[in-house]
Amino acid sequence: MSEPHPELQGADDDDPRGPVFGERRRRAIRITVLVALCAMLLPIVLSVFGTAQSAAQRSCAVYAAQFDTDAAGARVSFDLFARGGPGWQCFSVGENGTETLIAELGLLPGAPRPIDPDERDA
């Protein structure tokens, strides 16, 4: 049983470096791999964005109800260059269409935290 199996030994004419492909074929394989990676990652990115947007809308509605009782509605937007860094911004929309920034919700907004009564008056 200590003899090497002939099936596991390579042929005498095998190149130990492996197959040599041309530059055109290498470029085509690289492009194909990049397209496949993008095709795999795009649904994940879109799903995370959609989930974050719906969470931001729900949180913003709660913040608008707590902080601006005269607001006609609430609006969220994603800003890459916001004051607190990239993330979702929550605006209350008044009756005349004016928008007031209420909260910066971050990249992945969560449930709004409860507001203490002494914080409301401040």
Side-chain angles (χ1 to χ4, degrees):
M1 280 314 274
S2 63
E3 296 177 14
H5 292 282
E7 298 91 19
L8 299 178
Q9 292 180 354
D12 293 335
D13 59 346
D14 282 348
D15 189 9
R17 295 178 294 155
V20 179
F21 299 121
E23 186 61 33
R24 178 182 281 176
R25 186 166 178 182
R26 281 192 196 118
R27 187 176 305 129
I29 290 173
R30 286 182 187 142
I31 290 171
T32 303
V33 168
L34 286 176
V35 168
L37 278 173
C38 290
M40 288 189 313
L41 292 178
L42 185 63
I44 295 170
V45 170
L46 292 177
S47 175
V48 168
F49 183 81
T51 302
Q53 183 180 20
S54 65
Q57 287 173 343
R58 289 191 303 271
S59 294
C60 187
V62 171
Y63 278 126
Q66 286 181 350
F67 290 122
D68 193 358
T69 56
D70 299 331
R75 181 183 72 83
V76 295
S77 66
F78 186 80
D79 193 3
L80 283 175
F81 304 105
R83 183 179 59 196
W88 294 94
Q89 309 294 310
C90 176
F91 297 93
S92 67
V93 180
E95 294 289 337
N96 57 358
T98 59
E99 295 181 348
T100 306
L101 178 67
I102 295 177
E104 295 177 357
L105 303 174
L107 283 175
L108 296 173
R113 64 179 181 83
I115 305 299
D116 294 331
D118 56 338
E119 286 184 35
R120 273 190 211 158
D121 299 332

